[in-house]
Each structure stands twice: as structure tokens, then as C-alpha cells.
Amino acid sequence: MRSGKLAIRTASGRDLSRRILFLLLGVALVFVPMKALAQQDSSDKAASLLKDSIKLFDEGDTDKAIEAARESIKADPSNADAYDRLGYMLLKKDQADEAMGAFDSALKINPRMRTSKTGKGLVLLKKGDLKGAEAILKEALELNPYPSMTHYALGLVYEKMGDYEKSVEQFKDGIKKYKSGKR
Amino acid sequence: MRYIGGSKKYVRLRMAVLTIVLCFSFAFSATAQALLNIGGTAPDFSVRDLEGKDVSLSQFTGKKAVVILFWSTWSAKSTKAFKRMQDFYEKYKDRGIQVVGINADNETISREDVENIKKFVKETGITFPVLTDKALKTFRAYEIIALPSTVIVTEGKISYELPGFPLVGTEDMFDYLLGLAGETPKKKMEVRYKPQHDSIADASLARKFMAKEKYDMAYPLLQKAIERDPKYMLAYIELAKLYDLEGKDREAEETFKKALASDAESVPVMSEFGYFLTKKGKIKEAVEILDKAAKMNSYTPSHYYLAYALSKNGQAKEALSAFDAALALNPYEPMIYILRGEHYEMNKMHKEASADYRKALELTLKIK
């Protein structure tokens, strides 16, 4: 008898496990795609917000552009591009510390983000840390296959240092590389 | 195309930080085309008027002619050009002639700029549409080399171009406009040269190949363009430049000379030939030809090429004055700053050289 009860219990246990398994599967079948869809939705929303932000920025409405970039980051905090763009917008508004924070966030997600390194160089230049700016811009230059803008920033640093021969070299390199299609 | 860190558009945005705006075609190759756009399709534009309303070239389809006056509040001759154009517009606006003024004060137009333009328009009593050109897109699309400049569009093609507001050229242009308005021109108009359509198409395709460094494809097209229309100066200039690019100096020089044999008064050919001669160290010859070109009209490259030749000739004062003349006509041309930068560099004036190269790069990358 005992073994019979056990057998029934075991059978019921197996049945229960199977039911739970089916239930979980069902849940997974419903919720995983839902989650994926939700992720897709928020990623689409983030992309659309970022697009709006760029348009606003192009039109000169930096404040609204910043707002839209922040909304985009809220919708998808894993997008390094969004942080980077926000950094440049904040830099334009002379919010150097906030800009630095945004560039750091971008670099946390993508440590090889050369544009954020250039951005950090520009922040440091703005703050008067010329040596720091020079160092990070040189790093960006190594990573950057389209370096005219980084040459420009480095030229500004050398101009500020009063080293005009070096700044001439950087500006000329920027022009030359732009002409050769390396933008 | 995407690459680490974002798209091209993204790079533009980044550039905008130091007030960075969108970028168009680079001006280094634009000089040859300047003044030589006649016969080509007029680029459509979509710009805003002073009330923020969109205005495009295509909305004037059906007009006999659209006169586009590129101008700036800081250019003295723009006021003269505006007033003269207003008089013409008042008389002939009902004869199918549409005039629009496109402002080129700045790369980016602030609210303050718009107010200044409005004030200027009110003071000068302008009644034709005055438009703002964001990031100077239209200015660059039309490869404008001087301010003011007038472009006349008929049947969708550029039929007349006048850089600056020179005494003689201006009267000729208004005579041409009178003809379009159905009036008898003040003096007998010569039949205006129009490049052959096929030559324009060949040269245009050749330029595309040149941009992609497919020089072998460009040579026959340019040669064919010249064969078809020996008066089409753009084809000669592009061919000569191509030879120069590939180190074929003799062929380049011969091509320039052939062009001048076909049209001895072509200011663009004289200017480009003068610049070529300067680069090859034939300074005296260059100064002579460039001086003649600069005196002939407001073709900006002739002024800065002359400045460069004078600099190479050791005439620093005259060179700087010629650079100033070029800048007064078109402060948006990077080449002026590059050549003046070289002048300063040659004279060990590194601070000034740096400022000029910086400005050239800022204009190139559209950084304000």
C-alpha cells in the first residue's frame, strides 16, 4: 500500500511538475515575446527621440534637443551614441561638467568611442586643462579614422598653449585629411 | 555608412558643438565651376522667408525667369544691387519675372540676424521675397563666389550669372532681363553663348569620376566635351587640373593655352592658369595673367590667386591687399585662408598662419 500511495504521490508530483513546466512554457511563450516587443518598442522610441533631438539641434533649439536626448537615454540607457550626442549638446550650452558626465557614460558603454574622447578633450580645453586635453585628443586621433575634427580640437589646444607651429600642423592635417576624404 | 561612434550625420552634429553645422560639398574644387554654371540645371532650394514660411525654387515654375540675388547686410554693394533690383521688380513683376533675395550673412541665422535683415529690408523698401539660407546650403549649391551675386534661372536652367555688382556687367544683365520681360534692351544684345548640353553632361560625369579618383574614365569625357563644344571653358579647366593632378605639367599648360586660344577673355581660365603657373614657379607670368583677370571682374579666385602669386613674388603688402579684396567678396572661401596662411607661414608669422588655417578648417567643417 505504502508503495502504492507513493506511486500515486509520485505520479501526482510528476503531473504537477509537468503542469508547472507547461505553465512556465506558456508564460514564457507569452511574456518573452512581450518583453522583446517592449524592448523593441523602447529601442524604437529611443531612436525616434534621438532623431528628433538631432533635428532640433540642427534647427538651433539646443534646449529642446537636450530634453529629447535625455528622454531617448531614459528609453534606452544602453545607447552610447545618445550619451555622446547629449555631451556635445551640453558642451554647446557651456555645461562642461554635465557634458563630461555624458561623455564618460558613453565611454563606459563603449570605451573605444573616439568621438566621446574628442568631446572630453574639448571639455578639458574649455576647463583649461591643456595637458589633459592634449593627451586624450591624441588617444582619439589614434582611434579615429576620420580625424579632421580631432585635428581641429588638438590645433585649438596648441593655439591655447601658444605653440603655433604645432597648431598650424594640426589644422593643416585636418584640411589635408578632409580633402583626401578622411573626415 | 556607419562606423564606430556613429553616422556621418552624427559627425556633423558633433561639429556643431563649437557651433557646428551640416556640411556640403567642399569648396576646393568649386572655383572652376564658379561662373561656369550657365546652361546647367538650377539646384532647387527650400529656404524660409523672414516670417518662417518655406519657399522653394520649384514653386516659381511657370515664371519666365527667377532672379536670385545672393546678398549680405555687410556687403556695401548688396544695398546697391538690392535697390536696383527692386526698381526692376516693381516695373516687371507682372511680366513673369520673379525676384528673390537670399541672405548669406552667416552660416547660422539667429533671431537677431533675422531682425537685422528685416530692418535692412524695411530701410531699403524691398518688396520681393527675402529668404534666409540655413548653413549657406543654397549659397554653396549655386557655388557662389562673391557677394552680391545674381543668378537668373529660365526654364529650370541657369541662364545668367553675375558675381559682384560690376558697372559694365550689371548693365548687360539688366539688358538681358529687359529682353526676358519682353522689352527692347537698351543696347543691341549679342547672342549669348550657351554651352552644349552634351558637353555639360560629359564634363559633369567626368567630375564625378574625378571625385572618385577614376581619372582614366574622366579624361575621354573631358576631351569629348571640348571636341563637342570648343567654347566650353569648364571642360578645359577640369582637364588641365586633371593633368596637373597627375603631374603632366606640359599637357596641363597646353590645355590652358588651348582654352585661351578659344576664349582669350575667360577670367576663370586665366585665374586657374595663373594659379597653375604660380605653383610651377613661373611667377612673373602668373602675376601678369592674374593681374589682368582680377581687373576684369569680380571673380573672387582671380583675386586670391593673384595675392598668392604676389606673395611668392615677394610683394607681401600687395599680396595682403589682394587677399583682403578676395575676402571682401567672399569670406566663406576656405582657399583664401589657406593661401594666406601659407603666405604667413612663409614669412614665419606662425600665429597669423595658425589663425588662417584654423579659419579654413572651420569653414571646411562648417564650424562657427
Side-chain angles (χ1 to χ4, degrees), chain B residues 205-219:
Chain B
L205 188 58
R207 289 178 90 199
K208 282 179 188 155
F209 282 127
M210 282 166 75
K212 289 178 182 167
E213 296 182 15
K214 292 181 175 173
Y215 302 141
D216 288 346
M217 309 285 272
Y219 278 115

Side-chain angles (χ1 to χ4, degrees), chain B residues 305-317:
Chain B
Y305 289 153
L306 173 64
Y308 185 61
L310 290 168
S311 162
K312 294 275 179 192
N313 205 32
Q315 297 170 258
K317 203 178 153 196

Side-chain angles (χ1 to χ4, degrees), chain B residues 146-190:
Chain B
L147 286 167
S149 271
T150 313
V151 177
I152 302 174
V153 178
T154 46
E155 292 169 3
K157 306 258 188 220
I158 294 172
S159 60
Y160 207 109
E161 266 196 278
L162 183 73
F165 202 63
L167 213 59
V168 180
T170 300
E171 296 314 315
D172 286 349
M173 182 185 73
F174 278 104
D175 256 4
Y176 175 72
L177 280 171
L178 278 177
L180 289 175
E183 290 280 318
T184 313
K186 285 180 184 158
K187 65 178 185 182
K188 197 182 167 203
M189 292 291 287
E190 286 172 21

Side-chain angles (χ1 to χ4, degrees), chain A residues 54 57-59 81 84-85 88 91 114-115 146 149 152 156 159 164 167-168 171-172 178-179, chain B residues 1-5 9-10 13-14 16-18 23 26 28 134 345 351 354 358 362 364-365:
Chain A
I54 295 162
F57 191 71
D58 283 348
E59 286 168 359
D81 280 3
D84 192 52
R85 288 173 200 270
Y88 278 95
L91 192 52
R114 57 184 167 69
T115 50
Y146 304 92
M149 184 58 192
Y152 173 72
L156 292 180
E159 265 196 336
Y164 297 111
S167 61
V168 161
F171 294 138
K172 280 170 80 175
Y178 187 93
K179 278 174 84 176
Chain B
M1 186 179 78
R2 282 190 72 79
Y3 45 84
I4 302 167
K9 173 119 184 168
Y10 189 12
L13 166 77
R14 192 160 296 110
V17 171
L18 302 157
C23 175
F26 192 45
F28 286 119
K134 209 166 119 191
E345 214 184 342
K351 189 176 177 183
S354 181
R358 170 168 37 82
E362 283 169 351
T364 302
L365 299 175

Side-chain angles (χ1 to χ4, degrees), chain B residues 265-338:
Chain B
E265 302 291 290
S266 169
V267 175
V269 173
M270 289 183 342
S271 304
E272 295 300 330
F273 188 30
Y275 180 50
F276 169 82
L277 291 169
T278 309
K279 286 190 292 177
K280 303 301 161 192
K282 297 181 179 179
I283 311 294
K284 300 273 175 218
E285 217 180 315
V287 169
E288 199 179 310
I289 196 168
L290 287 165
D291 191 47
K292 190 179 163 195
K295 280 176 182 152
M296 280 172 79
N297 68 20
S298 314
Y299 185 66
T300 315
S302 67
H303 292 278
Y304 58 78
Y305 289 153
L306 173 64
Y308 185 61
L310 290 168
S311 162
K312 294 275 179 192
N313 205 32
Q315 297 170 258
K317 203 178 153 196
E318 292 85 346
L320 289 175
S321 152
F323 277 125
D324 284 347
L327 284 171
L329 286 167
N330 184 7
Y332 304 120
E333 173 54 63
M335 197 65 176
I336 305 174
Y337 299 96
I338 290 172

